[in-house]
Amino acid sequence: GLLSTPEAILAVACLRRWIDPTDSLAAAEIVALEGRHDPEVWIADRIRYLRELEGSESMDPWVLQSSPALSSLHRAAESDRGLAHHSPLATFDRATAAAGINRIVSLWGPGQTRVGQRLANLEKLRSYVGDFERRSEDNGLPATCHGLLGWLSDLAVFGRDEFPGVSAGGSIFVGTYHASKGLEWPMVFLSSLDHAARTNLFNLRVVGTTTDLDFSDP
């Protein structure tokens, strides 16, 4: 799914770090995916930080100063903290922009096509954040960043974090029948048509003495 891609993991980690400066796992994911330091370097820095913190009452979050992404994210979040509450989408935009995610993803390569796919994945993830806000509003629920993180987690668990449609020339889109609804393709290959459909125990069923069904009066 989309949320298991490195670019989505990085974006979500930036959001988590923005709303919780003590989220050390998010900080480690940002540093690791930024790719500027070998694990031996930043893990050693983290261990050194914990040793210095031992026995003290300091609440300063761990920030690898030689990590531009983490340092910029920390400074931006600190300057923004205490200001007016932002929507989840605005917070997501602030966090990803502060960390410079598009720049990091573009450096991963290995080619222009792959970079374009990664950027499209980030844009799709951003659209999911917008979907969460609209769903919350429709249901009369508050749209919070913590609620967003839980909603994104559910998308991944139930396999609903779909990738964006591919529109590049000469490309092939592989997806389910459901995901392809409303899309127009010049050529389509269907598979698994010889498999019998599985019924769901809780599907709607017609119960009666006749097999004829009048759709105008079911």
Side-chain angles (χ1 to χ4, degrees):
L2 176 72
L3 288 165
S4 65
T5 62
E7 53 270 19
I9 293 174
L10 177 59
V12 173
C14 290
L15 175 63
R16 286 165 40 211
R17 179 69 176 191
W18 183 282
I19 63 179
D20 182 7
T22 65
D23 192 333
S24 57
L25 176 58
E29 289 174 337
I30 293 169
V31 173
L33 289 171
E34 185 181 20
R36 291 176 61 92
H37 303 285
D38 292 331
E40 294 83 359
V41 175
W42 64 263
I43 290 179
D45 187 89
R46 169 67 179 173
I47 294 174
R48 183 166 51 253
Y49 162 81
L50 292 176
R51 286 175 178 172
E52 295 174 354
L53 193 65
E54 189 174 355
S56 71
E57 297 181 357
S58 173
M59 295 300 293
D60 292 337
W62 172 63
V63 178
L64 184 64
Q65 299 299 333
S66 55
S67 164
L70 187 58
S71 299
S72 299
L73 184 65
H74 175 71
R75 289 193 300 269
E78 285 298 309
S79 63
D80 193 76
R81 214 170 301 282
L83 300 179
H85 175 71
H86 301 299
S87 68
L89 183 57
T91 304
F92 178 85
D93 287 341
R94 279 172 161 78
T96 53
I101 280 189
N102 287 356
R103 177 188 59 82
I104 296 174
V105 167
S106 298
L107 292 174
W108 289 348
Q112 184 176 357
T113 300
R114 189 69 185 95
V115 170
Q117 291 173 343
R118 294 188 190 278
L119 294 176
N121 289 343
L122 288 175
E123 191 60 32
K124 180 67 173 181
L125 175 59
R126 186 179 184 276
S127 74
Y128 281 139
V129 180
D131 289 343
F132 167 76
E133 288 190 356
R134 287 187 290 273
R135 288 171 181 266
S136 298
E137 183 179 358
D138 291 343
N139 293 314
L141 299 173
T144 66
C145 289
H146 289 93
L148 168 63
L149 292 175
W151 187 75
L152 291 176
S153 178
D154 286 344
L155 283 185
V157 169
F158 294 106
R160 296 172 183 165
D161 53 332
E162 299 175 351
F163 289 90
V166 179
S167 59
S171 60
I172 298 175
F173 173 79
V174 180
T176 64
Y177 299 145
H178 177 74
S180 300
K181 288 191 302 183
L183 301 178
E184 296 292 338
W185 307 106
M187 185 177 297
V188 177
F189 297 88
L190 305 179
S191 64
S192 306
L193 295 180
D194 56 332
H195 289 204
R198 293 182 298 177
T199 59
N200 189 315
L201 176 63
F202 301 103
N203 274 353
L204 293 177
R205 299 168 184 236
V206 177
V207 179
T209 59
T210 176
T211 58
D212 295 330
L213 175 63
D214 183 1
F215 284 101
S216 64
D217 185 19

